[in-house]
């Protein structure tokens, strides 16, 4: 496959040192000086690369924030545990090590790297622009981390460092990379934003709930939302209140209504102070909130003092416009600048108040097994998050961090990663088009309807349950259950919409199924959709042939 | 260096399939049939190796538990959140995939491994018996995991599986290994014990507290204990009550006293129901509780219905007996059987009630950066732990899991790992002897006293503060602070004993410093101890020469 956009994929950069010029995304050429990141990097403090060394994400930002507003204070929302938690005392003692040159530490209980039974770690990864599995087999590049590369001046990161203990922030090495990436993609418009690594967004959400809510709270979310996010909250005594959505996601007026008319007695909870949203390629609905609507939602959050958690694993699975089964495909973005322009603006990018906590993840664009994500939020939150991590999750796996650092920072660099993301965009576009084509071919439009997803990995299909022969004798949930089991009988698995209710207590009068096009191969996706169609037809007592004629899919010849 | 015991290090096993005979630790030859683990492995279900496939640790145990007691019920100790938490619904849906052959899943939102930009992962590791860094450089073996080794029948584990999502239990592949290891080392004497992977014991402890305590609780611990364990508990409203210790650790009678005389009103908390202990090479005291004393403590726990959390990162840092500066070293264990016999019995090994939750860790014997540990406890707890992990920490990094699996299961095997542990034992013994020798040489025995640590990485030094010229005008803490800062002035860092108080509220009349011999090189350890000694002498106004004469360290000639 040709590289998705016009870059030179030839230089196989296997080690970028801090003093080397850093290859820059071409989009950066215009707005800021051409090697702004490189300049910032050259000022890096040596000390932060060491074992469990503290680092500060502010040191990795390359823009000037003078004159920008500072985040509002969020103390009134922090939970008791977040307020009283102090730092990890032993990790804090590391500061004495920098106070005296030549000091010998018998302090921290860190084992010697002498006893890590790992001399080298190598990964074979795609060369820039040659991203497919077949190309990687053919032309993949092997990059290697040695045990003492840092001491030997071969790299800023190595096994001796990455495989030892670390800080709750994650290593300076990878934290720098995600901070730079966040800054040039989102350019947060306030002064004191920071990043911290997480062990994945599921944990990030659990920790956020424990820091920002208390038992009995209600929080807002899309009325259909990621079920694990609900399951994380419920045992903490935190209920979700579903905000009505349409095909473009959260409806600002509906959210404003809920908040304006919140009745503490009736609801049995204080007015919500937190919105959990998956704004892009939402799980399960696939909906993406447009830029203008995000701004309206942000305004509603300002009006009601709502803290926004934007959970964005699918942000870079935004796809090409859908042109239908018979129209030509839209060509890929011509360069990084164009690519970044196609992306819907994040809540973070419009966050002048520091009220947004953004959760990013490598799970959908690199590998879920890395268990690495990151959070961007105001310093107040990040500091408390790191204190929490230091006595709980610690840092993400150092093995994972080293592997991602070698690939993202030293091998691909920022612009190689943008190429990869464009590759992912084109691949997911193909997959999305496969499932939509299959749905158009195999599903009875009189019963099943959908909107083409513009981002993410989920296709959300509405079933007109009122046409079911057993309605209204049977409830929505019973009809859903019966369809679900019949689909399984026919050899396909799709997820039941009711599993994604933000609140099971509310009444629901819609019936959906969620199908993902992210995993199965194209012919399997088509076959599974066909099986789903057969099950639907059987359930609704439809004559397949008649229906296909109605849909114009059976030509006069056959 | 020669291999530490008589094994044949030559076969460089790079892939053990499930059907191959598994090399067995020699100690197993006597008590059970010679390839009991291998037999058990041959019965393994294929399905459990797949992506995010559920597994059951009971399938990996090789002994027969018929007739053994079942764990007592612990429902009365589970917290509200642990009681109400349900499983992750979407992960639960995986069960439908096994219900129908040929079913196609559009269900789970798992990305295709096609988009993991990793074709191979290789690690260079020590060959069995050639464990030092120098030997590994020379004779280390490179082992490689491919992307599709599972589909290609090359291994039971690969990148496509490990780098995708997983279950809260961790992967079947590594879970099997830790279960087998746990069974042959501890042989838990009740029926329904299980294991689950953790993302490290710090998180394991945080999660345990949230599942087994409620705000306002008091729990028991050694009166000096791991400060991060206290710092994890305090924000949850859980206070530690220090149980008196002597040089052999927790004193059973003292614990019984506290519990027998617990006054709810005076203490402002219900009677403790949980003991947190680091029984082996305790942090910070270095103390190891003997087998007989563990049994007495277990009896006290039975009497008062105490749930025991045994945090055991240093279990395999048990060292050779200390023979003093001029006696010959004790030779290493002659075989695995002898080695395992030298180990103090764990609480788990005497746990007929299922009241022990054991936390094991790879941090001190492999690498902390792996962020992998495991818990062994009764099925009741393990099940709830996994449900929690599924909506929070998820599984440990798959990259870490794959790396450990390739080394521990496929390359070293169980007996190679025992060789490694014997190597660690001998290395830590050398280090311990270095610090003890340095202390004998450089510290004024009239002021500083200690017991030789038998396990772990910490040396705990008692300072007779009553001899300080400013005592009693200055408090213990002030004297400690002044010594601490003077030691730093002289260029060494040791940890202050007061940082390890289980409860800061209690009065303390002892003054200690903790030094670790796990990290610095031998000459640095000696120099740091010398600096510590100088600082102590200055603080206490001692004449160095006089004191060394008293200690007989200055020979007539010098």
């Amino acid at each position: 496959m040709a590289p998705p956009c016009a870059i030179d994929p030839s230089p196989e950069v296997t080690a970028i040192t801090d003093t080397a010029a850093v290859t820059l995304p071409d989009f950066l050429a215009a707005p800021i000086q051409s090697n702004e990141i490189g300049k910032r990097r050259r000022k890096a403090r040596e000390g932060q690369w060491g074992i469990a060394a503290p680092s500060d994400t502010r040191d990795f930002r390359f823009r000037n924030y003078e004159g920008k507003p500072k985040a509002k204070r969020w103390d009134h929302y922090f939970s008791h545990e977040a307020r009283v938690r102090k730092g990890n005392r032993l990790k804090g003692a590391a500061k004495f090590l920098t106070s005296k040159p030549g000091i010998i530490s018998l302090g921290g209980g860190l084992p010697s790297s002498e006893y890590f039974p790992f001399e080298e770690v190598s990964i074979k990864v795609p060369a820039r622009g040659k991203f497919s599995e077949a190309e990687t087999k053919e032309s993949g590049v092997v990059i290697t981390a040695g045990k003492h590369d840092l001491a030997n001046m071969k790299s800023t990161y190595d096994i001796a460092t990455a495989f030892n203990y670390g800080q709750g922030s994650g290593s300076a090495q990878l934290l720098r990379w995600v901070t730079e990436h966040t800054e040039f993609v989102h350019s947060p418009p306030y002064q004191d934003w920071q990043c911290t690594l997480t062990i994945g967004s599921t944990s990030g959400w659990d920790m956020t709930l424990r820091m920002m809510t208390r038992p009995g709270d209600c929080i807002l979310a899309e009325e259909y939302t990621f079920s694990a996010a609900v399951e994380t909250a419920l045992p903490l005594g935190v209920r979700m209140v579903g905000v009505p959505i349409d095909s473009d996601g959260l409806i600002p007026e509906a959210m404003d209504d809920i908040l304006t008319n919140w009745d503490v007695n009736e609801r049995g909870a204080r007015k919500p102070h937190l919105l959990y949203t998956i704004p892009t390629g939402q799980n399960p609905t696939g909906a993406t909130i447009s830029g203008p609507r995000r701004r309206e939602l942000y305004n509603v959050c300002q009006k009601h003092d709502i803290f926004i958690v934007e959970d964005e694993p699918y942000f870079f699975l935004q796809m090409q416009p859908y042109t239908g089964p018979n129209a030509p495909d839209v060509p890929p973005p011509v360069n990084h600048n164009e690519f970044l322009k196609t992306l819907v603006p994040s809540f973070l990018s419009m966050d002048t108040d520091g009220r947004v906590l953004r959760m990013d993840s490598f799970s959908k664009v690199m590998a879920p097994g890395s268990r690495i994500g990151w959070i961007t939020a105001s310093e107040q939150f990040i500091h408390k998050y790191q204190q929490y991590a230091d006595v709980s999750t610690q840092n993400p796996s150092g093995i994972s961090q080293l592997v991602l650092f070698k690939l993202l920072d030293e091998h691909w660099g920022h612009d190689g990663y943008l190429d990869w993301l464009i590759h992912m965009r084109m691949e997911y576009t193909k997959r999305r088009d496969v499932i939509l084509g299959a749905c158009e071919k195999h599903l009875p439009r009189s019963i099943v309807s959908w909107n083409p997803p513009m981002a993410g990995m989920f296709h959300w299909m509405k079933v007109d349950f009122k046409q079911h022969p057993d309605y209204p004798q049977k409830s929505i949930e019973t009809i859903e259950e019966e369809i679900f089991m019949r689909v399984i009988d026919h050899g396909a698995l799709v997820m039941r919409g009711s599993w994604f209710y933000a609140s099971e207590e509310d009444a629901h009068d819609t019936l959906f199924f969620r199908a993902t096009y992210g995993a199965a191969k194209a012919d399997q996706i088509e076959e599974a959709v066909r099986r789903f169609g057969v099950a639907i037809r059987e359930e609704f007592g439809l004559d397949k042939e008649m229906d296909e004629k109605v849909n114009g899919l059976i030509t006069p010849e056959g």
Side-chain angles (χ1 to χ4, degrees), chain A:
Chain A
M1 210 199 81
C5 68
I7 51 136
D8 174 13
S10 60
E12 301 305 345
V13 183
T14 53
I16 293 174
T17 69
D18 279 10
T19 47
V22 171
T23 330
L24 274 178
D26 49 15
F27 81 97
L28 285 177
I32 56 165
Q33 285 205 302
S34 71
N35 56 357
E36 209 62 40
I37 292 177
K39 276 188 198 162
R40 188 74 191 83
R41 284 189 164 208
R42 280 190 284 273
K43 287 189 247 166
R45 287 183 299 108
E46 288 295 313
Q48 67 194 329
W49 313 130
I51 294 167
S55 62
D56 190 323
T57 181
R58 280 173 298 194
D59 293 345
F60 307 137
R61 307 187 314 177
F62 54 88
R63 292 203 168 118
N64 185 345
Y65 289 86
E66 270 173 46
K68 293 274 165 87
K70 284 196 81 169
K72 284 171 47 108
R73 297 296 311 175
W74 298 98
D75 309 77
H76 54 304
Y77 288 160
F78 283 119
S79 66
H80 176 77
E81 72 167 87
R83 277 201 303 270
V84 304
R85 190 179 282 116
K86 292 177 189 157
N88 180 312
R89 198 169 233 173
L90 299 185
K91 289 192 182 179
K95 69 173 182 280
F96 294 109
L97 293 176
T98 53
S99 67
K100 179 92 188 167
I103 195 168
I104 304 171
S105 177
L106 306 183
L110 284 71
S112 168
S113 63
E114 191 180 343
Y115 304 129
F116 302 164
F118 303 98
E119 172 66 21
E120 278 178 6
V121 175
S122 299
I123 47 175
K124 186 175 174 189
V125 295
R128 269 184 58 184
K130 296 176 180 170
F131 292 127
S132 74
E133 275 199 333
E135 285 170 311
T136 307
K137 255 201 163 73
E138 196 72 25
S139 63
V141 177
V142 174
I143 47 184
T144 297
K147 194 165 189 179
H148 299 293
D149 285 356
L150 182 58
N152 298 334
M153 313 278 279
K154 281 191 186 169
S155 173
T156 51
Y157 208 25
D158 62 8
I159 291 173
T161 312
F163 284 39
N164 215 319
Y165 283 104
Q167 297 282 339
S169 60
S171 68
Q173 289 87 340
L174 194 59
L175 185 58
R176 176 173 69 177
W177 192 91
V178 304
T179 305
E180 291 166 352
H181 172 85
T182 301
E183 189 169 27
F184 73 68
V185 173
H186 304 286
S187 198
Y190 68 102
Q191 247 184 63
D192 45 339
W193 66 271
Q194 297 198 23
C195 296
T196 187
L197 297 192
T198 68
I199 61 155
S201 295
T202 309
S203 161
W205 174 234
D206 180 36
M207 290 170 71
T208 298
L209 282 166
R210 294 183 190 273
M211 290 168 63
M212 299 290 281
T213 66
R214 58 187 195 220
D217 275 350
C218 282
I219 60 177
L220 304 173
E222 281 92 356
E223 62 179 318
Y224 286 97
T225 188
F226 179 39
S227 56
V230 181
E231 288 160 348
T232 304
L234 280 178
L236 312 186
V238 175
R239 287 170 295 153
M240 287 202 180
V241 172
V243 176
I245 52 177
D246 60 20
S247 58
D248 298 324
L250 288 170
I251 302 170
E253 297 74 20
M255 192 165 104
D256 187 32
D257 265 4
I258 290 175
L259 290 164
T260 303
N261 301 310
W262 190 265
D263 183 326
V264 172
N265 291 325
E266 188 196 317
R267 299 277 194 166
R270 63 171 167 161
K271 187 174 159 183
H273 65 290
L274 194 150
L275 166 67
Y276 170 80
T277 177
I278 308 169
T280 313
Q282 202 248 357
N283 184 0
T285 65
T288 299
I289 311 175
S290 69
R293 192 183 275 196
R294 286 181 198 215
R295 192 157 288 285
E296 284 177 63
L297 287 162
Y298 190 84
N299 292 344
V300 174
C301 290
Q302 286 185 308
K303 177 177 166 191
H304 296 283
D305 202 23
I306 301 288
F307 190 79
I308 302 170
V309 176
E310 76 169 335
D311 184 6
E312 279 289 54
Y314 314 110
F315 187 74
F316 281 111
L317 300 185
Q318 294 181 54
M319 294 169 289
Q320 300 288 92
Y322 181 61
T323 50
N326 301 314
D329 292 343
V330 177
V334 294
N335 58 35
H336 295 152
N337 209 12
E338 285 304 309
F339 169 55
L340 290 165
K341 273 194 211 155
T342 67
L343 302 174
V344 67
S346 63
F347 280 113
L348 177 62
S349 73
M350 52 189 74
D351 183 24
T352 44
D353 298 343
R355 69 172 64 248
V356 174
L357 184 162
R358 180 181 172 86
M359 298 201 292
D360 275 284
S361 164
F362 284 118
S363 290
K364 304 307 190 296
V365 289
M366 296 292 287
S370 72
R371 303 316 309 135
I372 301 184
W374 73 98
I375 282 177
T376 310
S378 70
E379 183 275 342
Q380 296 155 62
F381 183 88
I382 297 296
H383 179 63
K384 285 187 184 298
Y385 183 94
Q386 290 170 346
Q387 285 186 326
Y388 183 177
D390 274 336
V391 293
S392 174
T393 54
Q394 301 266 23
N395 47 302
S397 155
I399 306 180
S400 288
Q401 288 190 67
L402 183 59
V403 162
L404 288 192
F405 172 82
K406 296 303 278 190
L407 174 56
L408 294 175
D409 190 291
E410 288 193 346
H411 178 53
W412 283 349
H414 285 297
D415 53 351
Y417 182 59
L418 292 179
D419 290 343
W420 169 258
L421 293 174
I422 293 170
H423 168 73
M424 294 291 278
R425 178 187 183 91
M426 301 311 291
E427 289 291 311
Y428 270 80
T429 300
K430 272 194 265 175
R431 286 177 164 271
R432 188 258 332 253
D433 293 354
V434 164
I435 202 166
L436 290 179
C439 288
E440 279 156 13
K441 193 164 158 194
H442 297 296
L443 302 187
R445 296 298 288 254
S446 54
I447 304 293
V448 188
S449 58
W450 59 87
N451 295 297
M454 298 310 299
M457 54 204 296
F458 300 115
H459 181 47
W460 187 236
M461 299 173 289
K462 186 172 185 174
V463 174
D464 186 1
F465 64 94
K466 290 186 180 163
Q467 296 189 50
H468 194 280
D470 296 339
Y471 179 82
Q473 292 78 22
K474 288 183 177 168
S475 70
I476 297 185
E477 281 79 7
T478 305
I479 294 172
E480 189 199 59
E481 163 91 21
E482 289 178 4
I483 298 173
F484 175 75
M485 292 311 300
R486 194 181 288 267
V487 176
I488 289 174
D489 280 347
H490 281 288
L493 180 67
V494 291
M495 295 304 203
R496 296 174 60 173
S498 64
W499 287 346
F500 301 92
Y501 292 158
S503 166
E504 292 200 359
E505 292 160 25
D506 296 349
H508 294 87
D509 65 349
T510 44
L511 197 170
F512 289 93
F513 286 94
R514 190 195 81 175
T516 177
Y517 45 90
K521 291 191 192 307
D523 58 338
Q524 296 269 290
I525 291 174
E526 165 141 13
E527 174 60 16
V529 169
R530 193 193 65 76
R531 293 174 184 180
F532 178 67
V534 170
I536 290 279
R537 283 195 171 78
E538 285 180 10
E539 274 291 320
F540 283 79
L542 293 193
D543 174 64
K544 183 170 181 297
E545 200 181 327
M546 274 305 294
D547 188 76
E548 288 191 344
K549 271 186 194 150
V550 170
N551 278 305
L553 291 171
I554 296 185
T555 59
E557 301 85 58

